[in-house]
Amino acid sequence: MTDTAVRPDPIAAAQAPARSPLREIAHAFLSSPASVAAGLFLLLMLFVAVGAEFIVPYDPVVQNLGNRFAGPSLAHLLGTDEFGRDVLSRMMTASRIALLAPLIAITTAAVLSVPIALLAGLRRGLVDAAAGRLADALMSLPALALSMAIIAMLGPGLVNSMIAVGIAFAPSLFRVVRGAALAVSRETFMESAESIGCSTSRMLWVHLLPNVAAPLLVQATILMGVALLAEASLSFIGLGVQPPDTSWGSMLSAAYQNQFRDPFGGVAPGVALALTVLAFNVLGDTLRDVITTGRHS
C-alpha cells in the first residue's frame, strides 16, 4: 500500500514570505477586543485633544457664578463646577494634558536613560557599574517623593512636574534597556560589527538600538499610564498644571474640596483618568505578548 499523504514542500516553506513585525502587531491588536477598544479610545482622545478648540460647547475658562454646581442638562451635559464653568468643556480641554504630560515624562526618561543604558550594555565596565549604582539609589526612593523634591527646585507647572516624573522614571527605563542591550551585545552580528571596525556610535544607534526598541516600546507604553497618574497626583496637590489651565487631577482636587455641594463632581474626571490608564496598560500588555510570542516562536 502506497503512502498517498501530502507532505509539505520544505523548499516552498522556506521561500514563503515571513510576516513582518508590524503585521504581527496589527494582527495581535485586531484579534483582541480589549486592544481594539483601547486603541479606539486613545484615538478618540487624540481627536478631542487636537480639535478641542473647535468642538467644545463652551469656553472652559469663562465663569458664570450665577450657574454654579448646576446638574447635568441639555445645556450642560456634565453640569457646571464651582465657578459655573462647563464641566464637559473642561474635560475635553484637559484631554490635551492627559496625552501631553505622559509624553513629556517618557521623553525625558528616554533622553536621560537610553544612551547610557546602551553604552553600559555594550561596553560594561566602569560606565555600567556607575550607572547601575546610581539607578539603584534612585529606585530606592519613592517616585512621587523624588518628583516632589525635584519640583521644589524647578518650580510647579506642567513641564517642570513632568520633567521631574521623567527623572524618577529614568532608572527603571535604564534597567530595561540595559538588560536588553546586554543580551544583544553578545550576538554574533555585534561581534562582527566590532571586528570590522565600526565606531561605538554606529554600533549603538545602528546595530544596538533597533534591536532593543521592542522592550523599550513596551516599557514606555506602560509607563505612559503611570505618568498620567503621577501628573494627576501632582496636579491634585497643586504642583502640576496651574490655573487657568486644567487637568483631570486638578478637577478631582476641586471636586474633593466641594464634595458636599457637588457629590458627583469627581465622577467624570475619575472615570476618564481610569479608562485612559487602562487603555495604556492594555496596549502595553498586547505589545509585550506579541514580543514574547515572537521570541519563542
Side-chain angles (χ1 to χ4, degrees):
M1 184 175 179
T2 59
D3 185 5
T4 59
V6 178
R7 295 184 176 87
D9 186 354
I11 298 179
Q15 294 177 346
R19 182 179 292 177
S20 67
L22 290 178
R23 293 187 63 184
E24 289 283 355
I25 294 175
H27 176 74
F29 274 109
L30 295 177
S31 61
S32 171
S35 299
V36 172
L40 291 176
F41 178 79
L42 291 177
L43 285 176
L44 177 61
M45 271 195 60
L46 180 61
F47 171 77
V48 172
V50 172
E53 294 182 356
F54 306 100
I55 60 178
V56 291
Y58 298 93
D59 190 323
V61 299
V62 172
Q63 301 180 9
N64 182 4
L65 299 180
N67 195 29
R68 301 171 64 222
F69 299 117
S73 64
L74 292 178
H76 302 280
L77 295 180
L78 295 180
T80 61
D81 63 6
E82 70 275 19
F83 295 109
R85 299 171 296 192
D86 182 63
V87 173
L88 178 60
S89 299
R90 292 178 65 77
M91 286 282 300
M92 296 170 71
T93 304
S95 64
R96 292 178 173 178
I97 304 298
L99 295 179
L100 180 61
L103 187 60
I104 296 174
I106 300 305
T107 301
T108 302
V111 169
L112 292 176
S113 64
V114 171
I116 301 175
L118 293 176
L119 186 61
L122 179 65
R123 297 304 183 196
R124 306 177 185 87
L126 181 61
V127 174
D128 188 18
R133 298 295 77 77
L134 179 59
D136 291 340
L138 292 176
M139 290 181 69
S140 66
L141 303 173
L144 192 58
L146 178 60
S147 300
M148 293 172 64
I150 297 172
I151 293 172
M153 295 184 291
L154 299 179
L158 174 64
V159 175
N160 288 346
S161 63
M162 289 300 98
I163 289 176
V165 171
I167 295 174
F169 284 173
S172 62
L173 203 60
F174 167 84
R175 283 298 181 191
V176 171
V177 177
R178 183 258 180 192
L182 191 60
V184 174
S185 66
R186 295 170 178 168
E187 296 290 339
T188 305
F189 74 92
M190 292 294 295
E191 296 176 357
S192 301
E194 187 168 12
S195 66
I196 64 175
C198 284
S199 63
T200 299
S201 60
R202 181 175 178 83
M203 293 184 66
L204 289 178
W205 306 114
V206 177
H207 299 289
L208 193 55
L209 180 59
N211 288 283
V212 303
L216 173 60
L217 180 61
V218 172
Q219 186 70 7
T221 304
I222 294 175
L223 285 178
M224 290 281 283
V226 183
L228 178 55
L229 286 177
E231 184 279 324
S233 300
L234 293 171
S235 294
F236 186 89
I237 60 178
L239 296 179
V241 173
Q242 302 296 304
D245 294 331
T246 184
S247 76
W248 294 336
S250 60
M251 293 181 70
L252 286 171
S253 177
Y256 172 76
Q257 296 172 11
N258 297 283
Q259 57 183 311
F260 298 108
R261 295 288 305 273
D262 185 16
F264 301 102
V267 172
V271 170
L273 183 63
L275 289 178
T276 306
V277 173
L278 179 61
F280 282 128
N281 288 341
V282 168
L283 293 183
D285 289 342
T286 302
L287 286 173
R288 182 186 59 196
D289 293 342
V290 171
I291 294 169
T292 302
T293 303
R295 286 176 178 172
H296 295 286
S297 60

